[in-house]
Amino acid sequence: MKDKHNHTCLGVLIGNRNFFPSYLVDEARNNIQAILADMSVETVMLSEEQTDHGGVQTYQDAKVASELLKANRDKIDGIVVLLPNFGDEKAVADSIRFSGLSVPVLIQAEADSLDKMGLATRRDSFCGKISLCNNLRQYGIAFSLTTQHVCEITSEVFRADLANFERVCRTVSALKGCRVGAIGARPASFNTVRYSEKMLERMGITVEPIDLSEIFARVEALKDDDLRILDKIELLKNNADTQFIAEDKLVMMGKLFVVIAQWIDDNDIDASAIQCWTSLQQTLGINVCSIMSVMSGQLLPSACEVDVMGAISMYALSIASGNPSSIADWNNNFGDERDKCVLFHCGNFATEQLHEPFMSTADIIGTTVGCENTCGAINGRMKKGPLTYFRLSTDEFSSKVKAYLGEGKLVDDELETVGCRAVVQVPHLEGLLAYICNNGFEHHVAFNHSSTANVLYEVFNKYLNVDCYFHQ
């Protein structure tokens, strides 16, 4: 199976037009090879033997280029188009169309220099980019643009654009073929986490369900001296301080962890959503929060309350940023400060960015099932830093998948409470909350320490056909 987290391969097409200087194609190839190698990105591009200078400027060139892309279709995550001169817009567009690839495309056009506007040195890429984009739109090929209309390949601006585009490609690739585990049934009172499996299947995302009774039976069948249990307990202890948790509770958590991890591995699960109350507490006498926390920290995110769309939101955010993500309720106002609020959950946050996390009981659930049956919740406060938040939802009334996202800050304002919590500051928060309510979004949101909202917006709005609201 392809590593969705660490490896990216990009196809590179270099446009050319024969009455512009062709040496510029050689220059572009050398530069892009060096840059992508520095980024540890694998490249697929034409050689000088396959076409003139390795560029694309004729119908025959387009056929050669498309065959090269087709031959590498199983590993190419995206295509970068370079226009060192005006280029031939039809040949480049045909190369992509004939290849049959449906991957993100980035268009770069090289800037002219005012002292090099003669026939031997001028580029006219400024104009060529507009023409190429027009053709791609006619062909129905989605594409991304650089921050500046034209820029130098060797500029820091383009390097930043490439880094963002690599994240876009990695995220799109990971989501196509994503497999989400739904462990148990949603809480009966939580209509809010309903979703459409069929709409997800249209996006290439599969949901694999399993009943909690099967999980419990496998836990019961495990012997206490199974070495895998010790390994999982060690993971739990490394994730958060467990000094307040009885050994028999840790053993039960270890058993549950073994069973869930084995099922995830057997079914190639990328993210999971778990029935976290109250059957677990009544049957096993523990919470699953710490297990979810560990998995989320391993970039195998796990969402509470069988929130499948929340799990996918966490997964996309983790892949885009390369950082663990968590899921929480938009839970409390923060006094009279209207641009701040509290994000909260019983105890499932990835602990990498928590202050002194420790394992405890989930006292809110404990009011109904007994606190002694809720061991396993993480207690900790999110550290300050950048914030990206993201939420996907299926809307059967419009037959569309929709989303909202944005950025803000995790702040360290004083807050005395229990569980996993964070104080966040979001510009125009009242407007965001009104949008969430008016458009029927769930009360859960995925978030993490990153600044990747622009990447997620490009992924979902442009390449996955999701109606996406970018709150600013």
Side-chain angles (χ1 to χ4, degrees):
M1 178 179 290
K2 184 175 177 181
D3 189 333
K4 299 179 180 180
H5 302 287
N6 300 316
H7 178 77
T8 304
C9 178
L10 297 178
V12 178
L13 298 174
I14 307 176
N16 192 19
R17 183 159 280 192
N18 56 12
F19 46 79
F20 286 93
S22 292
Y23 74 87
L24 299 173
V25 176
D26 298 319
E27 185 180 272
R29 177 188 296 99
N30 293 333
N31 284 330
I32 196 66
Q33 282 180 320
I35 293 168
L36 292 177
D38 189 54
M39 294 172 60
S40 299
V41 172
E42 185 181 352
T43 57
V44 172
M45 69 175 73
L46 291 167
S47 68
E48 294 179 359
E49 290 73 32
Q50 290 173 294
T51 63
D52 186 25
H53 293 273
V56 179
Q57 61 178 324
T58 67
Y59 172 72
Q60 293 300 325
D61 289 345
K63 290 203 296 182
V64 174
S66 67
E67 288 302 319
L68 178 65
L69 296 176
K70 267 195 254 187
N72 293 276
R73 65 180 303 126
D74 288 341
K75 67 179 182 179
I76 290 177
D77 300 298
I79 296 171
V80 176
V81 177
L82 305 177
L83 297 177
N85 59 37
F86 189 104
D88 189 285
E89 64 274 20
K90 186 175 179 182
V92 172
D94 281 345
S95 298
I96 300 172
R97 172 191 261 178
F98 297 162
S99 76
L101 266 66
S102 178
V103 295
V105 177
L106 177 66
I107 313 298
Q108 182 271 347
E110 191 74 14
D112 269 306
S113 298
L114 291 178
D115 60 348
K116 295 180 180 178
M117 296 294 286
L119 291 178
T121 53
R122 69 183 297 148
R123 296 175 181 274
D124 291 9
S125 310
F126 190 102
C127 186
K129 180 174 181 177
I130 298 171
S131 187
L132 173 58
C133 292
N134 176 281
N135 275 257
L136 291 175
R137 191 169 186 275
Q138 288 186 48
Y139 283 24
I141 297 172
F143 56 88
S144 297
L145 300 175
T146 50
T147 302
Q148 299 174 348
H149 182 65
V150 291
C151 59
E152 295 178 0
I153 287 181
T154 56
S155 67
E156 289 304 313
V157 170
F158 183 57
R159 280 181 176 267
D161 287 336
L162 265 180
N164 274 339
F165 182 67
E166 190 270 337
R167 294 186 188 99
V168 168
C169 294
R170 190 173 67 228
T171 307
V172 170
S173 177
L175 287 166
K176 290 181 177 180
C178 171
R179 291 174 58 79
V180 185
I183 301 175
R186 67 170 173 82
S189 58
F190 269 36
N191 284 353
T192 185
V193 295
R194 286 173 169 172
Y195 68 99
S196 170
E197 283 192 48
K198 293 179 180 179
M199 293 174 73
L200 288 178
E201 202 67 60
R202 285 286 180 93
M203 291 179 64
I205 297 173
T206 296
V207 178
E208 183 73 19
I210 185 171
D211 193 80
L212 268 187
S213 63
E214 294 186 55
I215 298 291
F216 293 156
R218 296 177 193 183
V219 169
E220 180 67 24
L222 280 178
K223 298 185 183 302
D224 290 354
D225 59 356
D226 190 313
L227 293 179
R228 294 174 298 170
I229 298 172
L230 295 177
D231 290 339
K232 298 306 182 187
I233 292 175
E234 190 66 22
L235 285 174
L236 293 169
K237 288 182 174 180
N238 290 335
N239 187 60
D241 187 350
T242 61
Q243 64 176 307
F244 304 113
I245 305 300
E247 189 63 27
D248 64 323
K249 297 293 186 181
L250 287 173
V251 170
M252 183 57 74
M253 278 182 250
K255 288 183 175 183
L256 179 60
F257 201 168
V258 167
V259 170
I260 290 175
Q262 187 64 57
W263 181 78
I264 284 174
D265 188 57
D266 289 344
N267 291 278
D268 290 334
I269 300 298
D270 298 299
S272 60
I274 300 177
Q275 181 184 341
C276 54
W277 56 273
T278 56
S279 181
L280 271 164
Q281 291 78 15
Q282 292 169 337
T283 305
L284 301 182
I286 57 169
N287 264 38
V288 71
C289 303
S290 289
I291 297 170
M292 299 167 73
S293 171
V294 173
M295 292 193 296
S296 293
Q298 296 171 334
L299 302 188
L300 285 169
S302 189
C304 311
E305 295 150 342
V306 202
D307 184 0
V308 167
M309 300 307 296
I312 300 169
S313 304
M314 294 170 71
Y315 182 62
L317 182 52
S318 291
I319 297 297
S321 65
N323 295 329
S325 58
S326 297
I327 195 166
D329 294 346
W330 292 105
N331 207 71
N332 310 91
N333 60 291
F334 193 75
D336 293 327
E337 297 191 57
R338 298 299 173 184
D339 64 343
K340 294 179 182 177
C341 71
V342 178
L343 299 184
F344 171 85
H345 248 183
C346 300
N348 64 315
F349 289 4
T351 60
E352 184 177 292
Q353 291 295 329
L354 291 181
H355 284 289
E356 300 179 347
F358 62 93
M359 195 187 293
S360 62
T361 55
D363 295 339
I364 294 177
I365 296 177
T367 60
T368 58
V369 298
C371 286
E372 71 279 5
N373 294 314
T374 65
C375 291
I378 297 296
N379 197 303
R381 169 72 185 272
M382 276 279 182
K383 299 175 184 177
K384 67 178 181 179
L387 165 73
T388 296
Y389 55 88
F390 178 56
R391 179 70 209 191
L392 275 169
S393 183
T394 55
D395 189 342
E396 289 85 346
F397 301 110
S398 64
S399 299
K400 291 181 179 179
V401 181
K402 61 186 181 182
Y404 69 84
L405 53 85
E407 294 182 1
K409 294 188 294 185
L410 288 148
V411 296
D412 57 3
D413 300 50
E414 186 175 349
L415 176 68
E416 291 297 327
T417 189
V418 297
C420 283
R421 65 271 190 194
V423 180
V424 299
Q425 184 171 18
V426 175
H428 312 295
L429 177 60
E430 291 284 0
L432 172 63
L433 295 171
Y435 183 86
I436 291 170
C437 291
N438 285 325
N439 289 276
F441 280 96
E442 298 80 356
H443 62 286
H444 291 165
V445 66
F447 72 104
N448 74 357
H449 286 74
S450 72
S451 300
T452 50
N454 59 333
V455 172
L456 290 169
Y457 185 75
E458 195 83 354
V459 167
F460 286 94
N461 188 61
K462 187 158 287 183
Y463 295 111
L464 296 179
N465 197 32
V466 170
D467 284 352
C468 206
Y469 168 65
F470 197 149
H471 180 72
Q472 310 213 31

